Amino acid sequence: MASFHISKQLKLATDRGRADKPGAWKVICGVLLLCAATSIVAPAQTFTTLAYLSETADNSKAALAQGIDGNLYGTTYDNNAIFRGSVFRITTAGTLATLHTFDFTDGSNPTTELLLATDGDFYGTTSFYGASGVWEAGTVFKITPGGKLTTLHSFCSQANCTDGAGWPGALVQGADGNFYGTTSSGGAYGYGTVFKISPYGRLVSLKSFCHQATCPDGVSPRAGLVAASDGSFYGITELGGTGLPSCWQSPSYYGCGTIFKITPKGLLTTLYSFCVQSGCPDGSSPSGRLIEATDENFYGTTGSGGAFGNGTVFKIAPGGKWTALYSFCSQTACTDGSNPQGGLTQATDGNLYGTTVGGGAYGYGTIFEITTSGTLTTLHSFEYGDALPEARPMQATDGNFYGTTWGLDFQSYGTVYSLSMGFGPFVSFIRDFNIVGAKAQILGQGFTGTSAVSFNGTPATFTVIHDTYLSATVPAGATTGFVTVTTPSGTLTSNKIFRVTPQILSFSPPSGPVGTSVVITGESFTGANAVVLGHNQTPMSFTVDSDTQITAIVPSGATSAGIIVHTPGGQAKSATAFDVTP
């Protein structure tokens, strides 16, 4: 049977002077009903309210992130009556502390989750203000686990906000160590940007949206990006595209959102436009960041549209093949939920987990589980006292899910909750790829006394830094696959595969005509599935001689270019070009 902190719900009602009102009794009675109901829907689950954000903050729109200390870190949109927002830390037992309160000059009202970077610090964005003093500007910031905040960039610092403005999305760290993100407005045309920013604050705009009439490339890429295994970034826009102009009244020609792919150099490809049919059965206004699942497809949600008009879950392949998985409000009174906003999380069981801000047994949102084939199960229905989960739940390395809620009004503040599904502990990575000889940063628990770490079966040297954090050197001969850590309490397996990225160290000869046999020397070539000559991606026939050597043949029609090797772990490009001679 599910457990719930009924005492906290009672305290919530009485502390706020509403115990004699119908809403308060709805909370109390609903809790008792929920305990019985959830034992039928999902008997293995345990839902717990860890903290009420009114104690130190207010409410949250953002998912949580796990730090190297094993604690969880998040942001609030408001903080009490100040309306500036904050960064907080919470233990898995529910001890909450505010680390930083924004003061407008360093931004305000963060809405996106924090990113744990390879330096052990967190990086994030605020929605408004900053040094420019412009209301809908926003910032990019860095904050240490101890709470020292550094503003890296204030948007709208250039004339006409060509550097971007307003509601920046969540950040992602690229292979080059830089951070990549989005803004929902600003840029060269005023409709949002994709940007790159260094850890020291140097910002470069890579793409400005709506460079053509009717905005076929999209408008307002608010959710941020996901770094994919193919080396590109994938994201969504809330508006624009080539779908029907039925989502917003002004301007009326905007479409209902897109899915796009963009390279680290800014080359954008629109993969899909929503609402291509009347009524938007495929969904409209995508919400929340995409995720790349273990099957290498991308999964996401739309906040509206679908067969019943209340949002969808969808799948899209890297090449653009789109598949509808589920339309919400398919049940009477939308007991399956409605209007998902925060995207999805893939858990260790392979299924996807998300939230809706409406529907459920009490009308205040749900937590749901959905398989990659589209079978949905409602796990929890929120009530008045813990309403409106706008962010996806995240799975921490103890196996449990943790999340935040927004709350209904100034008398029903947000919460931090946990949901146990009986999943065991695992290990995770700050960055799930690297080359042989580099450090892999591994998160988990119970690392003190660890006796072994292996990469897909290949033993690695390692150093335990904390009980919740260790580093391991990617060993020679390691191949892409799961990482295991042997602790005194047992062997923990990673929730994701670790991609061992190939390296090209040299090739010989440096030039030659069509038909020349080229010996490529490097690392991590096992499983190579393509070898091409650069600019035109001209395929070369090849043989993998060993993990450190490939022999390839210069093909007909080839022109001088760098050599690129593709493997399951990623791709490697030679530092110099092969010169094709007559």
Side-chain angles (χ1 to χ4, degrees), residues 13-204:
T14 56
D15 283 356
R16 293 175 184 166
R18 297 199 310 270
D20 59 337
K21 295 184 179 181
W25 290 111
K26 178 182 177 183
V27 170
I28 298 168
C29 297
V31 169
L32 301 176
L33 291 172
L34 177 62
C35 294
T38 51
S39 67
I40 298 171
V41 176
Q45 80 176 51
T46 302
F47 182 91
T48 304
T49 298
L50 294 178
Y52 292 100
L53 290 173
S54 57
E55 295 172 5
T56 59
D58 199 332
N59 44 41
S60 178
K61 292 175 176 281
L64 299 169
Q66 184 173 341
I68 62 176
D69 58 3
N71 294 320
L72 307 176
Y73 293 77
T75 61
T76 64
Y77 182 76
D78 294 333
N79 51 301
N80 295 319
I82 307 174
F83 305 110
R84 297 184 302 197
S86 68
V87 178
F88 67 87
R89 177 182 64 233
I90 187 168
T91 68
T92 55
T95 301
L96 180 71
T98 297
L99 299 180
H100 179 80
T101 297
F102 291 96
D103 64 3
F104 299 125
T105 62
D106 59 1
S108 72
N109 308 99
T111 59
T112 59
E113 63 192 88
L114 299 171
L115 168 70
L116 177 62
T118 54
D119 61 5
D121 293 329
F122 295 94
Y123 291 76
T125 63
T126 65
S127 299
F128 305 130
Y129 291 106
S132 66
V134 177
W135 170 62
E136 199 169 52
T139 67
V140 177
F141 66 85
K142 166 185 175 179
I143 188 168
T144 68
K148 180 182 177 181
L149 185 136
T150 303
T151 301
L152 298 180
H153 184 78
S154 290
F155 288 103
C156 212
S157 61
Q158 299 175 2
N160 301 314
C161 302
T162 53
D163 58 329
W167 302 94
L171 300 172
V172 64
Q173 191 168 24
D176 58 4
N178 293 313
F179 301 97
Y180 293 78
T182 59
T183 65
S184 65
S185 60
Y189 313 104
Y191 296 106
T193 70
V194 175
F195 64 85
K196 173 177 69 174
I197 187 170
S198 75
Y200 308 104
R202 183 177 181 270
L203 184 138
V204 177

Side-chain angles (χ1 to χ4, degrees), residues 228-276:
S229 57
D230 63 6
S232 294
F233 300 98
Y234 290 74
I236 61 169
T237 66
E238 292 184 316
L239 298 171
T242 57
L244 299 175
S246 58
C247 290
W248 296 83
Q249 294 181 351
S250 178
S252 61
Y253 53 75
Y254 284 177
C256 295
T258 70
I259 303 172
F260 64 85
K261 168 184 176 180
I262 189 168
T263 68
K265 292 186 177 181
L267 178 63
L268 184 136
T269 303
T270 300
L271 300 177
Y272 188 80
S273 289
F274 286 93
C275 200
V276 293

Side-chain angles (χ1 to χ4, degrees), residues 214-515:
T214 72
C215 307
D217 56 339
V219 169
S220 187
R222 184 178 295 186
L225 306 168
V226 57
S229 57
D230 63 6
S232 294
F233 300 98
Y234 290 74
I236 61 169
T237 66
E238 292 184 316
L239 298 171
T242 57
L244 299 175
S246 58
C247 290
W248 296 83
Q249 294 181 351
S250 178
S252 61
Y253 53 75
Y254 284 177
C256 295
T258 70
I259 303 172
F260 64 85
K261 168 184 176 180
I262 189 168
T263 68
K265 292 186 177 181
L267 178 63
L268 184 136
T269 303
T270 300
L271 300 177
Y272 188 80
S273 289
F274 286 93
C275 200
V276 293
Q277 298 174 352
S278 177
C280 304
D282 57 340
S284 64
S285 299
S287 57
R289 192 158 50 164
L290 296 173
I291 63 164
E292 183 181 25
T294 53
D295 61 6
E296 297 184 351
N297 291 310
F298 298 91
Y299 294 81
T301 58
T302 66
S304 57
F308 310 101
N310 289 278
T312 70
V313 178
F314 63 84
K315 173 176 71 173
I316 187 167
K321 182 182 178 182
W322 185 92
T323 304
L325 294 182
Y326 191 82
S327 287
F328 284 95
C329 206
S330 64
Q331 300 172 3
T332 302
C334 298
T335 54
D336 57 334
S338 66
N339 310 111
Q341 297 291 329
L344 302 165
T345 293
Q346 187 172 37
T348 48
D349 64 348
N351 293 328
L352 308 172
Y353 292 77
T355 60
T356 66
V357 295
Y362 311 104
Y364 296 123
T366 68
I367 304 173
F368 65 85
E369 170 191 6
I370 187 168
T371 66
T372 54
S373 59
T375 300
L376 185 136
T377 302
T378 301
L379 302 176
H380 178 74
S381 290
F382 289 89
E383 299 189 65
Y384 183 89
D386 61 350
L388 305 186
E390 292 201 18
R392 66 184 178 89
M394 61 84 68
Q395 189 181 27
T397 56
D398 62 4
N400 296 324
F401 295 95
Y402 296 86
T404 62
T405 66
W406 170 253
L408 282 176
D409 51 41
F410 294 115
Q411 293 184 323
S412 175
Y413 298 97
T415 66
V416 179
Y417 66 83
S418 69
L419 177 69
S420 173
M421 297 289 293
F423 300 145
F426 59 91
V427 296
S428 186
F429 315 110
I430 295 180
R431 174 185 283 179
D432 60 0
F433 63 91
N434 222 323
I435 61 174
V436 165
K439 298 291 186 181
Q441 298 167 284
I442 301 176
L443 306 178
Q445 55 281 307
F447 285 163
T448 302
T450 290
S451 57
V453 176
S454 68
F455 288 73
N456 204 22
T458 302
T461 59
F462 63 92
T463 301
V464 175
I465 301 170
H466 302 300
D467 192 58
T468 56
Y469 175 58
L470 64 80
S471 68
T473 302
V474 182
T479 54
T480 294
F482 292 98
V483 171
T484 57
V485 177
T486 303
T487 73
S489 300
T491 298
L492 303 175
T493 301
S494 62
N495 62 329
K496 297 181 179 180
I497 62 171
F498 186 90
R499 295 184 287 114
V500 182
T501 309
Q503 304 173 74
I504 296 177
L505 303 178
S506 64
F507 58 83
S508 181
S511 62
V514 169

